[in-house]
Amino acid sequence: MFLSHCCTCNALLVLVALAMVVMADLEEKHCDLVGDQGKESKKEQALLKKLEPLSNMSFDSNVTSSPEEKYTYKFRVCREVDSSLSQSGLVQINLKDQKQTVVGRINETHVFNGSDWIMLIYKGGDSYGSHCHGEKRKAMIMISCNRKTLSSGFTLLSEEREKEEDCLYLFEMDSSLACPPEDSHLSIGSILLITFASLVAVYIIGGFLYQRLVVGAKGMEQFPHVTFWQDLGNLMADGCDFICRSKPQNAPAAYRGVGDDQLGEESEERDDHLLPM
């Protein structure tokens, strides 16, 4: 009886341990920064936190080096591209034979930034064959600022594999997450304009309420100091009329007399026939 009870307990413990292992495998993996646990750079952790909105997206890029070399690159931010490829953050797929090569893994992540870009680096990829002394592959993804999109334009810029060491794959993409915070400070002119508009609004609304509720005005009389503004408008109209018109409105009719020199000489004989004979 005692042995049977012990066997049952051991079996339960084994099942619990297996369940914990399975759960750990099923849990989605995240970026692991280079360095000991708990000693990672706070700045790098902040940058990864900033890129978190991209973690649920997957990015593809098709590249044709030659008719015989066609590849698809799959990339995710701090997530596995394929769970069957351990810690795969960026994967190359050969379209000819469907061979998958891990270019970079998320458990060897490095990240830094500039004023308007973020560089995400995955190290620990599959080893080269005859290139780069067989070192492990490395992917560098340049994320540039573009305020118009959350993510776009994932492309391969170059593959450097002719060196003896430090070979790499260089990618780029655009994202608003790489942009610096926008300066929200108002200029002096904006502050003055907002202040003036606020005072005008207070004057109109307050005056309207006073004229209507206290004075009991109706219609246009509810507008504060309506007579003053009407007179001011008339004066401005008169000034504009005086300055801008080319002719006076009430100009007297032009009159030009006829001079004696325009009458010509009168003939002395034109009335001679009227004289008595």
Side-chain angles (χ1 to χ4, degrees):
M1 185 73 179
F2 178 75
L3 291 176
S4 176
H5 181 72
C6 290
C7 290
T8 303
C9 291
N10 290 334
L12 290 175
L13 290 175
V14 170
L15 290 175
V16 170
L18 289 174
M20 293 178 64
V21 171
V22 171
M23 289 297 293
D25 290 338
L26 292 176
E27 184 180 357
E28 197 167 22
K29 296 179 176 63
H30 298 71
C31 280
D32 184 9
L33 293 169
V34 176
D36 296 333
Q37 186 70 26
K39 296 183 180 180
E40 297 93 343
S41 167
K42 299 297 183 182
K43 184 176 181 179
E44 288 186 299
Q45 291 177 346
L47 288 174
L48 293 182
K49 183 73 173 179
K50 188 176 183 179
L51 295 175
E52 189 66 25
L54 301 178
S55 62
N56 295 324
M57 303 179 184
S58 181
F59 307 97
D60 299 342
S61 177
N62 296 317
V63 177
T64 301
S65 303
S66 67
E68 298 297 325
E69 295 185 352
K70 296 181 180 180
Y71 301 97
T72 293
Y73 291 91
K74 293 183 176 294
F75 163 63
R76 292 191 67 186
V77 177
C78 288
R79 296 293 188 275
E80 285 183 316
V81 172
D82 189 338
S83 58
S84 64
L85 301 172
S86 178
Q87 305 288 346
S88 56
L90 201 153
V91 175
Q92 177 195 72
I93 302 174
N94 190 329
L95 298 181
K96 183 178 180 180
D97 55 10
Q98 296 302 311
K99 178 184 178 182
Q100 298 187 70
T101 303
V102 178
V103 179
R105 288 184 162 83
I106 60 177
N107 63 333
E108 294 188 36
T109 301
H110 180 52
V111 61
F112 57 93
N113 69 324
S115 58
D116 59 352
W117 53 268
I118 297 175
M119 181 68 79
L120 180 64
I121 301 175
Y122 290 156
K123 298 181 180 180
D126 292 343
S127 300
Y128 284 99
S130 58
H131 303 289
C132 306
H133 283 186
E135 70 179 11
K136 291 185 177 181
R137 288 174 169 83
K138 176 174 63 177
M140 302 180 69
I141 303 94
M142 170 73 79
I143 305 174
S144 302
C145 169
N146 186 345
R147 298 188 186 278
K148 297 180 180 180
T149 180
L150 178 61
S151 61
S152 65
F154 174 67
T155 55
L156 173 67
L157 287 182
S158 65
E159 178 188 358
E160 181 58 71
R161 61 179 185 178
E162 303 302 326
K163 302 189 300 182
E164 293 186 357
E165 57 183 11
D166 291 332
C167 297
L168 58 90
Y169 293 76
L170 180 61
F171 299 83
E172 71 171 354
M173 64 178 293
D174 295 334
S175 175
S176 58
L177 300 177
C179 298
E182 292 185 291
D183 190 2
S184 60
H185 296 296
L186 296 175
S187 64
I188 296 178
S190 299
I191 294 174
L192 292 177
L193 183 61
I194 294 173
T195 303
F196 176 75
S198 301
L199 292 176
V200 170
V202 170
Y203 168 75
I204 294 176
I205 296 173
F208 175 85
L209 294 175
Y210 177 81
Q211 290 291 106
R212 182 177 181 85
L213 301 178
V214 178
V215 180
K218 301 293 183 181
M220 285 295 297
E221 297 298 326
Q222 297 175 96
F223 194 87
H225 305 102
V226 62
T227 305
F228 167 78
W229 294 114
Q230 288 177 339
D231 292 341
L232 179 62
N234 292 333
L235 289 174
M236 293 175 65
D238 291 342
C240 182
D241 182 66
F242 176 77
I243 294 173
C244 298
R245 287 187 181 274
S246 59
K247 291 183 179 180
Q249 289 183 342
N250 300 321
Y255 174 79
R256 182 180 180 185
V258 179
D260 293 340
D261 56 339
Q262 295 176 320
L263 295 176
E265 295 182 0
E266 295 183 0
S267 175
E268 295 180 357
E269 299 180 355
R270 67 178 183 173
D271 293 334
D272 287 350
H273 67 283
L274 298 177
L275 296 175
M277 298 300 294

